[in-house]
Amino acid sequence: YVWFEVMLVASFVLMAHNRTRAQMDAAFKYVAINLIASSIFLTALGLLYGAAGTLNMADLANVWPTMSTPGIDIVLATLFLIAFSIKAGLFPLFFWLPASYHTAPISVGAALAGLLTKVAFYACLRVFVLVFGLGARDGPAVVPGLPALLGILAGATMIVSVLAAIAQVDVRRLLAFHVVGQVAYLTMGLAVASLLGVAAAIFYTMHTMLVQAGLFLGAGAIARANRGYDLRAAGGLMRDQPVFAALFALLALSISGVPPLSGFWAKFLVIDAAFRADSAWYAWLAVVALVAGALTLYSMSTLWTQAFWRTRDQGRAASRPVPPAMLVAVAMLAACTLGIGLAVEPVARLARDSAARMTSAAMPGTPR
């Protein structure tokens, strides 16, 4: 909790770095919503400490299953879920994210897109696996209906966010909605409540941190070349900036789940875990994920076509060259998603090992 809030304090300052009117307005919304979430988070921690006498996760994994009651489990799970849903940007509590991310300087937006919501999901993963045993214990869920609720939130977030992204003309707002949508795939892995699901969520987290940071940096390069973020005024970059066009295409295809990039394997692992789950209900969630993936491909294809492939309108100024530093930054992250895709097994093994350690730690009496 403490280090999470330290990170958020830094993000509050970065959000309003240039002190423009739009940034200050977005920063106030961002701060207000996140402070509400932090208050709910702190309330849940206080109740948990009052009941268990410790906040050490290793101790909680051992002692909480033996001393919790259904009533307090439901209350704590609800408070934690609301707090993490706000901070991670899950439906219907994600509205603050696309309202604020597009106002920040693009380097700040890239850092926020790559880190903040992923840290929130990581906190959610640790709490729900280690404390509530989601995906770690045999038998019914510790909190009845929690996996199904997470699945519903994940599915709704996927569809709503990608449809909203398709309607955007500002490349930053478009990518901000995809930040929301990608968190839904992480939540889907947790909702499956199995070792495979947790491993898939960890793998997806590593993938999406790299790709979304790269896409936001690419958006900055598009704005540099086109003198703005409006896709209606963009075009012609394929002819003027072919190397940058190819690098951005790699990142766009990766977030859409096109092989052999890391996004394909990330989506494959999450959807495979859903199909392998005990309940047939998760097969429907997997279908929703496939539909959302197809819509994501359409959204990113539209972005790339408008910014790179379409002929620039007559009368508009010629594009400016992308600075080498911007090109190198995008190239490094594009190389990461391609490298993970081509050498997926070591990264997948790391995700499986991490999930195995996390879920085994959540089993009462398991040695550490």
Side-chain angles (χ1 to χ4, degrees):
Y1 171 81
V2 171
W3 289 110
F4 201 155
E5 295 309 309
V6 169
M7 182 186 68
L8 285 174
V9 168
S11 70
F12 296 158
V13 178
L14 291 172
M15 182 67 69
H17 183 264
N18 293 336
R19 290 180 293 180
T20 64
R21 183 181 182 87
Q23 285 184 357
M24 296 303 294
D25 179 64
F28 278 119
K29 295 176 183 176
Y30 179 84
V31 171
I33 296 299
N34 275 280
L35 287 180
I36 292 172
S38 296
S39 300
I40 297 171
F41 190 5
L42 185 59
T43 300
L45 289 178
L47 292 174
L48 182 61
Y49 183 75
T54 180
L55 292 178
N56 183 285
M57 288 193 180
D59 292 338
L60 286 170
N62 271 333
V63 304
W64 187 248
T66 64
M67 62 189 308
S68 64
T69 61
I72 195 168
D73 270 334
I74 292 173
V75 170
L76 287 174
T78 301
L79 291 174
F80 279 123
L81 182 58
I82 293 172
F84 293 139
S85 293
I86 294 174
K87 290 178 178 292
L90 286 176
F91 177 86
L93 304 173
F94 66 83
F95 53 87
W96 62 270
L97 193 153
S100 57
Y101 272 32
H102 73 286
T103 65
I106 201 62
S107 56
V108 174
L112 298 182
L115 290 176
L116 278 186
T117 54
K118 315 311 177 295
V119 172
F121 172 76
Y122 174 72
C124 181
L125 184 71
R126 289 286 300 274
V127 168
F128 281 112
V129 171
L130 287 174
V131 179
F132 296 101
L134 203 64
R137 298 170 191 155
D138 296 329
V142 175
V143 180
L146 179 59
L149 177 59
L150 288 169
I152 292 170
L153 292 177
T157 304
M158 288 178 196
I159 298 300
V160 172
S161 62
V162 74
L163 291 177
I166 291 172
Q168 303 305 311
V169 295
D170 185 307
V171 63
R172 296 168 300 177
R173 284 183 61 86
L174 186 153
L175 294 176
F177 277 108
H178 282 301
V179 169
V180 173
Q182 295 302 294
V183 173
Y185 286 92
L186 311 181
T187 308
M188 177 178 166
L190 178 59
V192 172
S194 67
L195 175 62
L196 287 177
V198 174
I202 293 172
F203 185 97
Y204 208 113
T205 301
M206 293 187 283
H207 143 75
T208 194
M209 289 174 69
L210 298 169
V211 171
Q212 289 186 319
L215 285 170
F216 265 84
L217 293 177
I222 291 173
R224 171 77 177 186
N226 285 323
R227 298 174 174 82
Y229 293 97
D230 193 334
L231 289 173
R232 294 169 296 186
L237 293 183
M238 179 64 186
R239 182 185 66 255
D240 300 337
Q241 314 284 341
V243 174
F244 172 54
L247 293 173
F248 193 89
L250 279 176
L251 294 167
L253 292 172
S254 182
I255 198 175
S256 304
V258 175
L261 302 168
S262 63
F264 168 76
W265 296 109
K267 283 185 169 62
F268 172 81
L269 291 174
V270 170
I271 292 170
D272 180 63
F275 277 122
R276 292 174 181 267
D278 294 335
S279 174
W281 182 87
Y282 290 107
W284 291 102
L285 184 58
V287 172
V288 172
L290 289 170
V291 172
L295 292 173
T296 301
L297 178 59
Y298 172 78
S299 172
M300 298 308 297
S301 298
T302 302
L303 187 163
W304 195 89
T305 299
Q306 291 179 330
F308 295 94
W309 187 262
R310 186 181 62 181
T311 302
R312 182 179 294 274
D313 295 339
Q314 291 184 353
R316 295 194 181 276
S319 65
R320 296 181 294 186
V322 176
M326 284 186 167
L327 202 60
V328 169
V330 175
M332 289 174 62
L333 292 168
C336 288
T337 187
L338 180 59
I340 292 174
L342 295 176
V344 65
E345 183 53 34
V347 183
R349 187 185 308 117
L350 176 64
R352 288 194 299 268
D353 291 345
S354 300
R357 291 178 64 86
M358 187 181 297
T359 53
S360 64
M363 296 291 289
T366 303
R368 291 174 177 76

